[in-house]
Every structure is written in C-alpha cells, then in structure tokens.
Amino acid sequence: QQQVKQSPQSLIVQKGGISIINCAYENTAFDYFPWYQQFPGKGPALLIAIRPDVSEKKEGRFTISFNKSAKQFSLHIMDSQPGDSATYFCAADQGAQKLVFGQGTRLTINP
Amino acid sequence: GAVVSQHPSRVICKSGTSVKIECRSLDFQATTMFWYRQFPKQSLMLMATSNEGSKATYEQGVEKDKFLINHASLTLSTLTVTSAHPEDSSFYICSARVPSGSGEQYFGPGTRLTVT
C-alpha cells in the first residue's frame, strides 16, 4: 500500500511535443506529491509538487494533474526540449514523514 | 530552492576501510535529513532518517552498524560506511527537509563510492 507505481519506464518525445508521465498510488493518506528531475551522476532536483486539495498546478512548462478519486497524478512537460532529457521520479509523502518514490521514467527528447 | 551539499562527490577506498560522507544544508536548518542509496538505472532507496540530536531510524534490511549516521547539528549529517566491501559501491545521496512542515525535501548532488 506504500507503493507508488510510475509509467512508462522510458519515453521518447520529439522536440516541441508534450511529455506525459503517470503515477498511481494506493495509500489515501498521502498528502504531498512531488516530482523530481535527475540528470546522470547528479542528485534529484525538486521540479514541482502538489497537494490533494487542488487538481492541477502549473509552473512554466511543467504541469501536475491530480485525480484524487482515481488516486493518480501525472506530470506534463509542454514544448519539450532536448535539455529536458533526464530521469523523472514521482513521489508521495504522508504527514511529512518520508518520501515513497516511483520507479522512474527515462525521458529522451529528440531534436 | 534550498541548497544541500555533499562531500566528497567521489571517493575510492580499499576494502576493509571506512569512508565518511558529509551532507550539509547551506541556507536552512534541517532537523531531519535522509540518506538514500541508488543503483544504476534504479530508483532511490531510503536507507535511514537522520534526526538532529537523536539516533537515526534505519529502514528494514539496512545494517545500522555498517552505515553509521550522525546528525550532530541542524545543518550537518554524516554517513560513515564502515569496513567497506565492493558490494557497498554505489551512489549515495542525502536530502534535507525544510522546517516549514511542507514536507519539501531537497537533495544533495550525491557521492559516488567505489570500493576496490
């Protein structure tokens, strides 16, 4: 019940396209859902996060869509650029305890 | 965002020796820090939660006598890998949680440990 399932495992998108990564969870007590971006050999960087009281949050080209009833949330990257090529991790937290991470999605943006 | 540093970024040690990795929150005080381990092309695996002034809480399966964690101040946590073996070779990453209660965690750049 503590798992967060992330899909797809890998994704290839053309430059300028929309990249979509999905995550699903079971624990309805989760109250914080961040997305992290990680480049090879680097630590993860916090991209954007959402709480379950809102259905969408947008920051620049990055948008989180949150569906509380379906227990799913997704990351949308608009106008995807080669510099967005990285591994993306979704995560969930309950009461600021510890993050539960998804398996990761390796995103490649073709120029 | 908040800044977390790690030192060293890369270390090579001989089997049987101990290695210390430092994690610092540079622009905020962190009562709670976390230590993760990451294998190639895999997700982050939480090893332990480090609380300032108290003993660390280790995840199931993590040897507390092998991975010693000390959180001596509000800006510094250390991970010591004792009697390192080649199977301990990995990418170790720390994170620090901001004190606002929001749950936000910021990660360090990671430390690549190679045990020969």
Side-chain angles (χ1 to χ4, degrees):
Chain A
Q1 197 179 18
Q2 284 294 97
Q3 284 186 335
V4 176
K5 295 184 179 180
Q6 185 172 345
S7 63
Q9 195 172 7
S10 63
L11 179 63
I12 299 174
V13 174
Q14 291 299 117
K15 178 183 175 183
I18 303 174
S19 304
I20 302 174
I21 305 171
N22 301 297
C23 285
Y25 63 97
E26 288 296 322
N27 185 357
T28 56
F30 284 143
D31 57 7
Y32 175 66
F33 303 88
W35 284 90
Y36 286 87
Q37 178 190 58
Q38 186 179 30
F39 292 104
K42 306 294 183 183
L46 180 61
L47 260 183
I48 186 172
I50 198 168
R51 296 198 180 274
D53 53 343
V54 297
S55 60
E56 186 174 280
K57 184 175 181 180
K58 184 176 180 180
E59 289 184 3
R61 296 185 295 110
F62 300 93
T63 299
I64 299 180
S65 295
F66 187 83
N67 186 328
K68 190 174 181 178
S69 60
K71 292 183 285 187
Q72 296 176 348
F73 59 109
S74 59
L75 175 69
H76 296 233
I77 306 175
M78 312 299 287
D79 187 26
S80 299
Q81 299 297 312
D84 297 330
S85 296
T87 299
Y88 292 81
F89 292 97
C90 64
D93 196 353
Q94 174 188 346
Q97 293 184 29
K98 57 184 180 182
L99 291 172
V100 177
F101 282 90
Q103 297 84 351
T105 296
R106 179 170 291 192
L107 174 65
T108 302
I109 308 299
N110 283 335
Chain B
V3 181
V4 176
S5 70
Q6 263 182 261
H7 179 81
S9 59
R10 191 178 291 268
V11 58
I12 301 173
C13 70
K14 292 189 182 298
S15 187
T17 61
S18 295
V19 174
K20 180 184 284 189
I21 303 170
E22 292 186 349
C23 177
R24 294 181 185 273
S25 57
L26 298 185
D27 51 2
F28 67 101
Q29 293 184 329
T31 55
T32 304
M33 291 184 173
F34 303 85
W35 287 95
Y36 294 83
R37 184 173 181 178
Q38 187 177 37
F39 292 103
K41 298 183 181 181
Q42 291 191 22
S43 189
L44 291 88
M45 183 186 79
L46 179 65
M47 299 175 65
T49 301
S50 169
N51 294 298
E52 188 267 338
S54 64
K55 289 185 178 180
T57 303
Y58 290 82
E59 295 299 300
Q60 193 173 7
V62 177
E63 299 176 61
K64 59 181 67 178
D65 294 331
K66 181 167 189 60
F67 298 100
L68 300 179
I69 292 171
N70 184 276
H71 194 155
S73 77
L74 288 172
T75 59
L76 173 65
S77 177
T78 59
L79 168 68
T80 301
V81 183
T82 63
S83 186
H85 291 284
E87 56 265 31
D88 298 325
S89 298
S90 191
F91 192 52
Y92 293 88
I93 316 172
C94 72
S95 72
R97 189 164 67 206
V98 296
S100 64
S102 66
E104 287 183 5
Q105 283 188 37
Y106 292 89
F107 284 79
T111 296
R112 173 74 58 193
L113 170 63
T114 303
V115 184
T116 62

